[in-house]
Amino acid sequence: MANTLSSGAIYSSRVLIRCSSSERGGQQRSNAAVRVNGATHRATLQVGAALETSINETLAELSAPLLAPATDGRERSRQNIPTEKQAEDPFRQAQIVEGGVRYQQTVVVRSYEVGPDRTATLETLLNLLQETALNHVWMSGLLGDGFGATHGMIKSNLIWVVSRMHVQVDHYPLWGDVLEIDTWVGSSGKNGMRRDWLIRGRGSGNIYVRATSTWVMMNKNTRRLSKMPEEVRGEISPWFSDRHAIHEEATDKIIKLDSNARHVDSGLKPKRSDLDMNQHVNNVKYVRWMLETIPDQFLQHHQLSSIILEYRKECGSSDVVQSICQPDEDSVSPSENVTMVRGPSLLPEFINGHHSLAGALQQWPTKYTHLLQLKAGDGYEEIVRGRTTWKKKL
Amino acid sequence: MANTLSSGAIYSSRVLIRCSSSERGGQQRSNAAVRVNGATHRATLQVGAALETSINETLAELSAPLLAPATDGRERSRQNIPTEKQAEDPFRQAQIVEGGVRYQQTVVVRSYEVGPDRTATLETLLNLLQETALNHVWMSGLLGDGFGATHGMIKSNLIWVVSRMHVQVDHYPLWGDVLEIDTWVGSSGKNGMRRDWLIRGRGSGNIYVRATSTWVMMNKNTRRLSKMPEEVRGEISPWFSDRHAIHEEATDKIIKLDSNARHVDSGLKPKRSDLDMNQHVNNVKYVRWMLETIPDQFLQHHQLSSIILEYRKECGSSDVVQSICQPDEDSVSPSENVTMVRGPSLLPEFINGHHSLAGALQQWPTKYTHLLQLKAGDGYEEIVRGRTTWKKKL
């Protein structure tokens, strides 16, 4: 993954994992290709790859920040969040630690944040990642223009846009668990920024969730991706940490599915309650659509252990969405009976009881590839590609 | 509303605002009428009315507690919540105050809990009510059998079931607002219990939300409503407060709509993410279904100021639901132009500017009646009746 720079505190980022284009309205979209370094690029942005070599044309649509400066003072005041830089936030049970590099917040898993199995849902985890990233920005005192924009960014009309998100769930926290969430930023390639998170049990220190995300800069007027100006690099790099929450060996491109895929849900329409502050569909709804396309029978017996999202375009309230998914042919779990025979070994712990069997089954992780796209004219435009990994429920 | 008893601390209740029947599974239902005092009753339960006079037959289906004792020890352990009585809960920022009567918790409105207008959604408010009620029970040390059941209740196989909920939103808190939520219980009629809440701004003390709910006892084996045994009354009444969050003058019965109503959405199906810990549809989904049946045009210009819910039956994962609503003929807001003429007076503040106009418009609150029902054979069975009151958005 991304190369790494020096340690330091964070002073950048905006709300992650949302695609929004508030300044142009949800329904206006252009298909203009992204220009970086004077050339037009059409390839998908890879994590850690230099912007010069690989930019998806539709990434331009990941445009305005979720919390873009409002167009009038009245709208701007519609929040009640601290605007002063601070080291402690008692009400959010948060603090800046490690010499300013890391934001840390304590949260308790609430009764309505868990699913039928009494563990936090993936939606809850995604929400907490968003919340802590934003709170980190507040506590840094950079709440003004652009939500995470530095002075140099504001001067150049630059904003942060998220292009990729990878969440790995080692264990789902239980209802009532007290969690400690850490988040920090780092460098990603020449022009990107990385934001990472760790969710741990308070006290035990057990790791529940690791996550990383990639951010790039966009000119908010031209909607084009931008190199990171030297001035901005100078401003933010002192706050970068070289710690990684997930050590990604290599990041394979997520292939683009088409409607010949195994499972296709069409005609999906956002509800009012699915919209975020910018009237766009929120990230949690994206993930719901993706997962609801997987057959119930599979979901009953499997638990998501990892999700990678590559964002392309925002989805507005009147869009009609198609959710497509396809299991990897070479990753589908064999049935339990078959596993007993095909297991890599027949050690005693393998044949002795439920737990060991489940452990053996986990040697065949099941993967799905996902695509959400919206109807545009006669065709479709990509919203987000996804890749999920699953393990057998115990 | 309910008569009131002595003050005291709380030691009862369970998760409110959910209908569940965990012990018999979501799909098994009987239509047996509820027996109270040896007689069978078929009328709707009224707040504060004695159980002897008015029990809806289907109320029996509001049966098992959300957190009914699990059937095996393994399931029971799938939570990580305090089981010792305590006066302070630092991680939830909660405490028992006022000599043990009142539970108080501080929460911050998070970024993902607000809607497009950057105020907390109704769903968020309902979730916080549920959460604080449950936390109150935890802190009381009564986490054992039945979630809020006293020793006398456990001995008689009694559990609490919620029959009614009334939430009044005076102001929607903003993103970032620090809230103080108070909740306590009191008497409701001879056999019921009331749980009230106040949500206020921390510091300002401004009231955002007032809420009250009604609970009755059910025998968890027979699924029939029960009178409150003297032993149980003796246990819980010392903890009752006579304070009311909402002073309800009279509680009109919510009429039962039929499919001739103005707006009908049929074929609604719960998704996996709509299910709570007992595999039943959660309360927030009920409210979403109700509100999504109201035309978008109305929702764009109005804000919910009050909702009353009367619970009848739980909804399982494979049920097919119909959401019906009907505006009150005599409560529909006239258009702004008409209002200028039809207003009750033409005082200067009435014709001077937007704010005054909006104030005048609020003299015609708009009300909707709601019904959620599920398909059962050739007909339908009621899940919940609702009544919403709306005011013009400023």
Side-chain angles (χ1 to χ4, degrees):
Chain A
M1 213 189 105
N3 53 356
T4 53
L5 295 179
S6 59
S7 287
I10 179 182
Y11 272 130
S12 37
S13 173
R14 35 167 287 249
V15 173
L16 72 154
I17 55 175
R18 300 211 187 195
C19 317
S20 59
S21 179
S22 64
E23 297 185 24
R24 294 185 302 159
Q27 299 324 303
Q28 279 179 278
R29 293 189 189 88
S30 82
N31 281 315
V34 175
R35 282 181 69 82
V36 177
N37 285 344
T40 302
H41 297 273
R42 294 180 180 275
T44 303
L45 180 71
Q46 296 292 318
V47 174
L51 291 188
E52 290 86 341
T53 58
S54 55
I55 302 295
N56 186 286
E57 60 175 355
T58 55
L59 196 61
E61 300 299 331
L62 290 173
S63 47
L66 172 63
L67 304 166
T71 47
D72 62 82
R74 186 169 153 271
E75 185 57 28
R76 188 194 276 270
S77 72
R78 290 197 61 77
Q79 59 203 29
N80 202 355
I81 45 184
T83 53
E84 298 292 310
K85 182 176 173 178
Q86 53 190 320
E88 298 269 347
D89 182 340
F91 296 126
R92 288 176 189 80
Q93 301 186 85
Q95 52 190 330
I96 298 289
V97 293
E98 213 174 277
V101 177
R102 193 156 43 88
Y103 172 88
Q104 186 170 71
Q105 183 173 351
T106 301
V107 301
V108 183
V109 178
R110 296 175 178 168
S111 57
Y112 58 87
E113 296 175 330
V114 301
D117 63 353
R118 299 196 185 179
T119 63
T121 61
L122 180 64
E123 286 93 335
T124 294
L125 301 176
L126 293 173
N127 282 334
L128 290 174
L129 299 186
Q130 171 188 308
E131 174 69 8
T132 48
L134 245 189
N135 293 351
H136 188 185
V137 174
W138 297 351
M139 286 190 70
S140 72
L142 272 173
L143 189 60
D145 182 286
F147 264 66
T150 63
H151 291 292
M153 288 174 72
I154 293 169
K155 205 157 65 183
S156 303
N157 282 314
L158 296 176
I159 55 175
W160 288 110
V161 295
V162 63
S163 62
R164 183 178 183 271
M165 183 84 194
H166 180 181
V167 182
Q168 182 184 312
V169 187
D170 296 352
H171 300 285
Y172 284 85
L174 285 171
W175 172 36
D177 271 336
V178 182
L179 306 177
E180 217 156 64
I181 308 179
D182 285 287
T183 182
W184 62 92
V185 293
S187 171
S188 177
K190 274 177 67 182
N191 294 291
M193 186 178 74
R194 189 172 42 81
R195 175 178 281 283
D196 282 17
W197 295 262
L198 269 186
I199 302 185
R200 282 179 295 193
R202 197 181 194 280
S204 74
N206 292 339
I207 293 178
Y208 290 109
V209 178
R210 312 159 193 267
T212 188
S213 58
T214 310
W215 301 77
V216 290
M217 285 185 188
M218 173 176 285
N219 184 297
K220 70 177 178 178
N221 296 327
T222 65
R223 322 309 295 171
R224 289 176 175 168
L225 292 185
S226 166
K227 288 181 73 171
M228 187 184 291
E230 278 309 312
E231 178 185 1
V232 175
R233 173 172 307 281
E235 288 173 313
I236 64 174
S237 58
W239 313 112
F240 283 175
S241 165
D242 57 3
R243 196 173 159 206
H244 284 221
I246 302 181
H247 289 277
E248 295 178 303
E249 295 291 322
T251 52
D252 287 338
K253 189 181 173 216
I254 302 176
I255 60 161
K256 186 184 175 187
L257 298 176
D258 58 34
S259 43
N260 295 321
R262 184 92 58 89
H263 308 290
V264 179
D265 282 348
S266 295
L268 304 170
K269 291 177 187 171
K271 305 279 188 180
R272 292 179 68 84
S273 51
D274 302 323
L275 302 183
D276 65 18
M277 299 189 210
N278 276 336
Q279 312 278 344
H280 296 127
V281 172
N282 64 50
N283 190 61
V284 160
K285 186 63 182 184
Y286 287 164
V287 172
R288 282 194 186 171
W289 274 331
M290 280 185 181
L291 302 192
E292 282 165 8
T293 306
I294 297 177
D296 258 3
Q297 208 184 355
F298 177 87
L299 293 173
Q300 275 160 25
H301 302 292
H302 292 82
Q303 192 168 48
L304 182 143
S305 59
S306 153
I307 184 167
I308 300 175
L309 298 163
E310 287 178 5
Y311 297 96
R312 308 302 170 103
K313 194 194 233 338
E314 87 285 4
C315 172
S317 59
S318 60
D319 285 322
V320 178
V321 174
Q322 189 177 55
S323 172
I324 302 176
C325 76
Q326 172 82 37
D328 282 18
E329 292 303 337
D330 57 354
S331 79
V332 175
S333 288
S335 75
E336 299 203 1
N337 287 339
V338 175
T339 306
M340 290 299 284
V341 177
R342 292 179 54 197
S345 71
L346 282 172
L347 296 171
E349 68 269 24
F350 179 60
I351 50 178
N352 274 338
H354 185 67
H355 184 78
S356 300
L357 174 61
L361 284 169
Q362 286 178 25
Q363 297 180 27
W364 290 270
T366 303
K367 290 177 187 284
Y368 274 86
T369 302
H370 303 264
L371 174 65
L372 292 186
Q373 51 187 6
L374 56 86
K375 242 178 127 55
D378 292 338
Y380 284 93
E381 291 176 0
E382 291 185 79
I383 300 170
V384 54
R385 294 186 192 180
R387 182 103 170 123
T388 52
T389 308
W390 302 78
K391 56 186 177 190
K392 269 273 191 197
K393 280 185 187 167
L394 292 186
Chain B
M1 216 190 101
N3 53 357
T4 53
L5 295 179
S6 59
S7 290
I10 178 184
Y11 273 128
S12 36
S13 172
R14 36 166 286 249
V15 172
L16 71 153
I17 55 177
R18 302 213 184 192
C19 317
S20 60
S21 178
S22 64
E23 297 185 25
R24 293 187 301 159
Q27 299 324 305
Q28 277 179 280
R29 292 190 189 86
S30 83
N31 281 315
V34 174
R35 285 181 67 84
V36 176
N37 287 345
T40 301
H41 298 272
R42 295 182 178 272
T44 303
L45 179 70
Q46 296 291 317
V47 172
L51 290 189
E52 291 84 345
T53 59
S54 56
I55 302 293
N56 184 288
E57 60 175 353
T58 56
L59 195 61
E61 302 298 333
L62 289 172
S63 47
L66 172 61
L67 305 168
T71 47
D72 63 81
R74 187 170 153 272
E75 185 58 27
R76 188 194 276 271
S77 71
R78 290 197 60 76
Q79 60 205 25
N80 201 353
I81 45 184
T83 53
E84 298 292 310
K85 181 176 173 178
Q86 53 190 321
E88 299 270 347
D89 182 341
F91 297 126
R92 289 175 188 80
Q93 301 185 83
Q95 50 190 330
I96 299 290
V97 293
E98 215 173 273
V101 177
R102 193 156 42 87
Y103 171 87
Q104 187 170 70
Q105 183 173 351
T106 300
V107 300
V108 183
V109 179
R110 295 175 180 170
S111 57
Y112 59 87
E113 296 176 328
V114 301
D117 64 353
R118 299 195 186 179
T119 63
T121 61
L122 180 64
E123 285 94 333
T124 295
L125 300 175
L126 292 173
N127 281 335
L128 290 174
L129 300 184
Q130 170 189 308
E131 175 69 9
T132 48
L134 246 189
N135 293 349
H136 188 184
V137 174
W138 297 351
M139 285 190 70
S140 73
L142 272 172
L143 188 61
D145 184 285
F147 266 65
T150 64
H151 291 294
M153 288 174 70
I154 294 169
K155 204 157 64 183
S156 304
N157 280 316
L158 295 177
I159 54 175
W160 288 110
V161 293
V162 63
S163 63
R164 183 179 183 271
M165 183 86 195
H166 181 180
V167 181
Q168 184 184 309
V169 186
D170 296 352
H171 301 283
Y172 284 85
L174 286 170
W175 172 37
D177 272 335
V178 182
L179 306 177
E180 215 157 65
I181 308 180
D182 285 286
T183 182
W184 62 92
V185 292
S187 171
S188 176
K190 275 176 67 180
N191 294 292
M193 186 179 74
R194 190 171 41 81
R195 176 179 282 282
D196 282 15
W197 295 262
L198 269 187
I199 302 185
R200 282 179 296 195
R202 197 179 194 280
S204 74
N206 293 339
I207 293 177
Y208 289 109
V209 178
R210 312 159 193 269
T212 188
S213 59
T214 310
W215 301 77
V216 291
M217 285 184 189
M218 173 174 286
N219 184 298
K220 70 177 178 178
N221 297 327
T222 65
R223 323 306 298 171
R224 289 174 175 172
L225 292 184
S226 166
K227 288 180 72 169
M228 188 183 291
E230 279 310 311
E231 179 185 0
V232 175
R233 173 173 308 281
E235 287 172 314
I236 64 173
S237 58
W239 313 112
F240 283 176
S241 165
D242 57 2
R243 194 173 162 209
H244 284 221
I246 302 181
H247 289 277
E248 295 178 304
E249 296 290 324
T251 52
D252 288 339
K253 188 181 172 216
I254 302 176
I255 60 161
K256 184 183 175 187
L257 299 176
D258 59 33
S259 43
N260 295 320
R262 183 91 57 90
H263 308 290
V264 180
D265 282 347
S266 295
L268 305 170
K269 290 177 188 171
K271 306 279 188 177
R272 291 180 69 84
S273 51
D274 301 324
L275 303 183
D276 65 18
M277 299 190 212
N278 276 336
Q279 310 279 346
H280 297 126
V281 173
N282 65 50
N283 190 61
V284 159
K285 186 64 181 184
Y286 288 164
V287 172
R288 280 193 187 172
W289 273 331
M290 281 187 179
L291 303 192
E292 282 166 7
T293 307
I294 297 176
D296 259 2
Q297 208 184 357
F298 178 87
L299 294 173
Q300 274 160 24
H301 301 292
H302 292 82
Q303 191 167 49
L304 182 142
S305 58
S306 154
I307 184 166
I308 301 175
L309 299 164
E310 286 178 7
Y311 298 95
R312 307 302 170 102
K313 191 193 237 337
E314 87 286 2
C315 174
S317 60
S318 60
D319 285 321
V320 178
V321 174
Q322 189 178 57
S323 172
I324 303 176
C325 77
Q326 172 81 38
D328 282 17
E329 291 300 338
D330 56 355
S331 80
V332 175
S333 289
S335 76
E336 297 203 3
N337 287 340
V338 175
T339 306
M340 291 299 285
V341 177
R342 291 178 55 197
S345 71
L346 284 172
L347 296 172
E349 68 269 23
F350 179 57
I351 50 178
N352 275 337
H354 184 68
H355 184 79
S356 299
L357 174 61
L361 282 170
Q362 286 179 24
Q363 296 180 27
W364 288 269
T366 304
K367 289 176 187 285
Y368 274 86
T369 302
H370 304 263
L371 174 64
L372 292 186
Q373 53 187 4
L374 57 86
K375 241 176 131 52
D378 292 337
Y380 284 94
E381 291 177 359
E382 291 185 79
I383 301 169
V384 55
R385 295 185 193 182
R387 182 106 169 119
T388 52
T389 307
W390 301 78
K391 56 186 177 189
K392 269 272 191 198
K393 279 185 187 165
L394 291 187

